[in-house]
């Protein structure tokens, strides 16, 4: 785990970390081997991540995101990766383009 000092996170960010750990333990881990051997990522994993707001974690609040700190994003990514690499790799591909779109100068 990144193990940065989590006390520097605000309550929303600490909540994201806790929710990511819970989804990892209850949704990702039990199916990680099947997900790894499957031809495609497991849809239920992404539903669970969506339900906790993970896909908006790095998006500015003005666009409906949560705008959490880079420290929180690193912590959440490492937690998820410890439970299911396939899911983490796939969801991580979402964050960069989403931030680019949200921060572009076009309206």
């Amino acid at each position: 785990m990144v193990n940065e000092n989590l006390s520097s996170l605000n309550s929303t960010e600490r909540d994201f970390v806790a929710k990511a750990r819970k989804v990892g333990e209850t949704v990702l881990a039990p199916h990680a081997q099947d997900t790894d051997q499957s031809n495609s990522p497991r849809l239920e994993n992404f539903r669970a991540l969506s339900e906790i707001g993970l896909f908006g974690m790095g998006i500015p609040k003005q666009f409906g995101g949560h705008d959490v700190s880079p420290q929180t994003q690193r912590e959440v990514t490492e937690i998820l990766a410890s439970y299911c690499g396939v899911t983490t790799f796939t969801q991580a591909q979402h964050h960069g383009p989403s931030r680019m779109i949200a921060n572009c100068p076009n309206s």
Side-chain angles (χ1 to χ4, degrees), residues 16 57 61 82 89 93:
F16 261 100
M57 122 176 120
K61 290 181 181 180
S82 73
F89 176 77
Q93 294 174 343

Side-chain angles (χ1 to χ4, degrees), residues 29-99:
H31 305 282
Q33 187 171 4
D34 291 337
T35 301
D36 189 46
Q37 295 174 354
S38 177
N39 290 330
S40 62
R42 189 170 179 267
L43 185 57
E44 291 81 1
N45 292 0
F46 297 105
R47 283 192 186 119
L49 297 177
S50 177
E51 287 172 7
I52 65 168
L54 184 125
F55 294 111
M57 122 176 120
I59 304 299
K61 290 181 181 180
Q62 69 205 49
F63 298 115
H66 301 284
D67 203 19
V68 301
S69 68
Q71 178 187 0
T72 302
Q73 293 178 49
R74 287 189 305 272
E75 190 71 30
V76 166
T77 298
E78 190 156 340
I79 288 167
L80 297 177
S82 73
Y83 292 107
C84 182
V86 170
T87 301
T88 305
F89 176 77
T90 306
Q91 67 83 30
Q93 294 174 343
H94 166 84
H95 294 292
S98 295
R99 278 192 302 276

